């Protein structure tokens, strides 16, 4: 518990007090945002605002987590290192994208294929690494089962021969799809000042609660109440997952201070992809993959609207359902104030997170 509070607090303080330093540095390096001419005209005043704020968030998380370990004399856990691997790896993909934009002074960085290739690489290598390193009871950081609130009976590696090989490929594809869907959904939501970080604080913060509860009710816990032992969770190092979730949430809280309207710095793809990577890894490792649809509901809504809009546009030869896409830009075009949209989307994000955490706890109560 001390490690959790320390990691979250240190990450928050780092991002809160160091973000102005990076704002000045990024201005000196001319790492400013270039605004899409097809977007709302009101966004043109944001041109030149420092971007790549995800660098600050990643550094804050690394600082908060590892310094907390030094203070409490705890070793790093494999589960957390895997979360950090996916977060930093996708952050690197986003950084390359952002760097090309600032270097070439345009709003287009990496092409879609190159960005997807980066997500596939880090998602695939994450999946391969995460089924290694079993603990003393044979649990690996990631299960090869599909999970909702806990593992379902279906196991990708449940066959033999060619069935086993096909299952292994399907497992890799499954993890990669989760990583790609989550990181791209967060990326699409990052369109207004404070929208993505504020929503992510709520979603990632839920894994502090989930990880802490799973730790208390772990099948490996020496203090587990025998009366509820049949409800226990087979999750590897759940308390460590809660610690890194607290570090990420803390870093986002500190960053949000400077990212609220009018933003002094933007996340950039560096930040949005990194946040999506952390969110995906936390859901996968806590065995709550499909519950992420509820916990990350605001990201699902935004990404879903983009898919529906684009599909309808192509099928009808240019017609649209909404005035703009992603969804927050639709409300901008309708005349809503940016702050109004952000706060209302935060409310929706909070309700989705509450529903997700509620479903998680309800499943435990209904176990009989």
């Amino acid at each position: 518990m001390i490690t959790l509070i320390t990691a979250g607090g240190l990450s928050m303080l780092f991002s809160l007090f160091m973000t102005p330093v990076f704002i000045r540095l990024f201005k000196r390096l001319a790492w400013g945002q270039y605004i899409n001419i097809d977007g709302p005209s009101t966004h043109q005043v944001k041109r030149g605002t420092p971007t790549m704020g995800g660098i600050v968030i990643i550094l804050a998380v690394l600082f908060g987590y590892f310094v907390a370990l030094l203070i409490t004399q705890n070793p790093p856990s494999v589960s957390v290192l895997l979360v950090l691997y996916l977060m930093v790896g996708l952050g690197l993909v986003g950084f390359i994208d952002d760097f090309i934009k600032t270097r070439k002074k345009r709003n287009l960085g990496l092409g879609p294929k190159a960005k997807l290739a980066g997500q596939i690489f880090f998602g695939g290598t994450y999946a391969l690494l995460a089924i290694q390193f079993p603990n003393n009871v044979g649990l690996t950081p990631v299960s090869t089962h599909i999970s909702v609130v806990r593992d379902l009976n279906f196991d990708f590696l449940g066959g033999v021969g060619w069935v086993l090989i096909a299952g292994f490929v399907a497992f890799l594809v499954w993890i990669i799809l989760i990583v790609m869907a989550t990181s791209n959904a967060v990326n699409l939501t990052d369109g207004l000042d404070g929208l993505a970080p504020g929503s992510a604080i709520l979603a990632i913060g839920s894994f502090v609660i989930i990880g802490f509860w799973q730790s208390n009710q772990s099948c490996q816990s020496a203090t587990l109440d025998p009366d509820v032992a049949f409800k226990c969770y087979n999750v590897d190092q759940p308390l460590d997952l809660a610690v890194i979730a607290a570090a990420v949430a803390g870093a986002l809280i500190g960053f949000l201070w400077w990212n609220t309207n009018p933003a002094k710095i933007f996340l950039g793809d560096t930040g949005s992809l990194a946040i999506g990577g952390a969110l995906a890894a936390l859901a996968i490792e806590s065995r709550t993959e499909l519950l992420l649809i509820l916990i990350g509901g605001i990201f699902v809504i935004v990404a879903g609207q983009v898919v529906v809009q684009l599909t309808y546009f192509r099928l009808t030869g240019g017609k649209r359902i909404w005035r703009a896409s992603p969804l927050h830009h639709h409300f901008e075009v309708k005349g809503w104030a940016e702050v109004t949209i952000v706060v209302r989307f935060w409310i929706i994000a909070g309700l989705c997170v509450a529903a997700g955490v509620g479903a998680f706890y309800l499943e435990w109560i209904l176990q009989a």
Side-chain angles (χ1 to χ4, degrees), residues 147-148 174 178 181-182 203 207 279 283 288-301 348-349 352-353 355-356:
S147 61
V148 183
W174 172 245
I178 294 171
T182 308
F207 287 101
L279 186 57
T288 55
E289 298 158 11
L290 294 179
L291 189 64
L292 184 58
I293 295 173
L294 264 183
I295 290 174
I298 190 64
F299 304 119
V300 174
I301 291 169
I348 296 170
C352 290
V353 168

Side-chain angles (χ1 to χ4, degrees), residues 141-337:
V142 168
S143 167
T144 56
H145 293 249
I146 292 178
S147 61
V148 183
V149 173
R150 61 182 81 222
D151 284 342
L152 302 176
N153 290 329
F154 177 81
D155 186 356
F156 283 106
L157 304 187
V160 293
W162 285 106
V163 176
L164 177 62
I165 295 172
F168 180 71
V169 173
F171 166 73
L172 291 180
V173 172
W174 172 245
I175 298 299
I176 289 170
L177 285 175
I178 294 171
V179 170
M180 289 173 57
T182 308
S183 57
N184 284 322
V186 176
N187 184 240
L188 288 170
T189 308
D190 181 33
L192 300 179
D193 295 352
L195 177 55
S199 301
I201 289 168
L202 299 168
I204 290 177
S206 71
F207 287 101
V208 178
I209 300 170
I210 289 172
F212 193 77
W213 180 257
Q214 287 177 333
S215 176
N216 287 337
Q217 303 296 325
S218 172
C219 297
Q220 287 76 56
S221 174
T223 60
L224 181 65
D225 185 347
D227 292 336
V228 294
F230 67 95
K231 300 183 181 184
C232 69
Y233 297 94
N234 271 312
V235 175
D236 187 34
Q237 303 168 316
L239 187 57
D240 295 288
L241 294 177
V243 170
I244 193 61
V248 178
L252 288 168
I253 291 170
F255 181 80
L256 185 61
W257 182 273
W258 304 101
N259 185 241
T260 49
N261 186 270
K264 300 296 188 294
I265 186 171
F266 295 142
L267 275 177
D269 282 18
T270 309
S272 57
L273 293 183
I275 293 168
L279 186 57
L282 287 166
I284 293 167
E285 293 184 39
S286 64
R287 275 63 164 174
T288 55
E289 298 158 11
L290 294 179
L291 189 64
L292 184 58
I293 295 173
L294 264 183
I295 290 174
I298 190 64
F299 304 119
V300 174
I301 291 169
V302 172
Q305 186 263 354
V306 171
V307 171
V308 172
Q309 177 89 320
L310 184 59
T311 302
Y312 186 79
F313 184 86
R314 289 178 174 175
L315 290 176
T316 60
K319 294 182 180 179
R320 300 181 181 184
I321 302 173
W322 294 274
R323 296 185 185 183
S325 187
L327 187 59
H328 39 272
H329 292 324
H330 163 76
F331 291 109
E332 274 194 296
V333 174
K334 286 189 67 175
W336 288 23

Side-chain angles (χ1 to χ4, degrees), residues 12-190:
M12 182 185 70
L13 291 173
F14 183 97
S15 60
L16 181 62
F17 292 108
M18 291 302 295
T19 298
V21 176
F22 282 93
I23 290 173
R24 291 192 291 270
L25 174 62
F26 293 169
K27 283 182 177 178
R28 187 173 300 174
L29 294 171
W31 287 358
Q33 180 70 37
Y34 287 84
I35 306 300
N36 191 340
I37 59 173
D38 294 328
S41 58
T42 53
H43 285 208
Q44 294 304 317
V45 298
K46 302 181 181 184
R47 183 182 179 91
T49 301
T51 186
M52 300 192 216
I55 294 173
V56 186
I57 294 170
I58 292 171
L59 291 177
V61 171
L62 295 174
F63 173 81
Y65 177 67
F66 286 108
V67 173
L69 293 186
L70 287 174
I71 293 172
T72 58
Q73 296 296 295
N74 288 320
S77 76
V78 173
S79 292
V80 171
L81 293 178
L82 285 165
V83 174
L84 292 175
Y85 170 76
L86 191 57
M87 181 180 187
V88 175
L90 292 185
L92 177 61
V93 175
F95 173 79
I96 295 171
D97 184 55
D98 288 333
F99 185 77
I100 292 173
K101 292 175 185 175
T102 57
R103 190 67 180 268
K104 295 191 175 182
K105 302 184 186 308
R106 66 186 192 191
N107 195 52
L108 298 174
L110 281 174
K113 291 182 180 179
K115 189 179 290 187
L116 288 177
Q119 292 172 317
I120 291 170
F121 172 80
F122 284 107
T125 52
Y126 166 81
L128 290 172
L129 291 169
I131 54 174
Q132 312 299 322
F133 312 107
N135 63 11
N136 57 348
V137 295
L139 276 179
T140 53
V142 168
S143 167
T144 56
H145 293 249
I146 292 178
S147 61
V148 183
V149 173
R150 61 182 81 222
D151 284 342
L152 302 176
N153 290 329
F154 177 81
D155 186 356
F156 283 106
L157 304 187
V160 293
W162 285 106
V163 176
L164 177 62
I165 295 172
F168 180 71
V169 173
F171 166 73
L172 291 180
V173 172
W174 172 245
I175 298 299
I176 289 170
L177 285 175
I178 294 171
V179 170
M180 289 173 57
T182 308
S183 57
N184 284 322
V186 176
N187 184 240
L188 288 170
T189 308
D190 181 33

